[in-house]
Structure formats: structure tokens, C-alpha cells
Amino acid sequence: MPRSIPAAATVLGLVLAAVPATLIASPAEAAKPRTFKNCTALNKVYPHGVGRPGARDQTSGKPVTTFKRNGKVYAANTKSDRDKDGIACEKA
């Protein structure tokens, strides 16, 4: 026998009630990019660095191309872009 809509809604309500409030981010919190203290901390999350879309590594060796492209995270961490090439904490 198929379940009725109210029963399904009750189950969904119980599931949502079981989720801790700390796991549900507000839209403002979800939109705020993470700022890292230094390159060591940033590289733990983004091993090859983070940069603006379209950025190119400026190096005398082989350029890093495997960095994460995310303009918002880069903008929050521009202090870590020492050579001002649009990539923060680039690392091969």
C-alpha cells in the first residue's frame, strides 16, 4: 500500500530535526569564502594553490597549471600571492 503524503512529510520532518543546526549554514555564511592564515594552511586544502580563472603561473621553471580556479577564494587570500600572477600559494 502506498504511503500517504502526510506520512512522508512527517518522516522528512523527523530527519531534518535530527540534523544539528551547526551543519546547516545560512546563505551568507555559505557565500563567504574561506581566508587562510598562510600558504601552509591554504595548501592543506588546495595542494597546488588557488587562483583566478584564466590566471597563469609566472615562473622560470615549469608553470603550475593544477591550481584550483576560484575567484572568490583567491580574492580572500590575495595577500598570499607574492608574485602577483593571480595565483596564491602555487606549488607543483
Side-chain angles (χ1 to χ4, degrees), residues 5-86:
I5 299 290
T10 301
V11 171
L12 179 60
L14 291 173
V15 169
L16 291 175
V19 176
T22 57
L23 295 179
I24 302 172
S26 71
E29 290 172 341
K32 185 177 178 184
R34 185 170 173 192
T35 302
F36 295 91
K37 181 178 180 180
N38 53 38
C39 283
T40 301
L42 188 140
N43 288 140
K44 286 181 182 178
V45 177
Y46 303 104
H48 303 285
V50 65
R52 295 186 310 245
R56 296 182 60 144
D57 185 20
Q58 296 176 7
T59 181
S60 59
K62 185 177 178 185
V64 175
T65 58
T66 55
F67 61 91
K68 173 72 175 174
R69 286 154 178 85
N70 186 316
K72 290 181 181 181
V73 175
Y74 171 78
N77 294 282
T78 56
K79 68 182 183 328
S80 296
D81 184 6
R82 293 184 186 135
D83 59 359
K84 308 297 182 217
D85 61 356

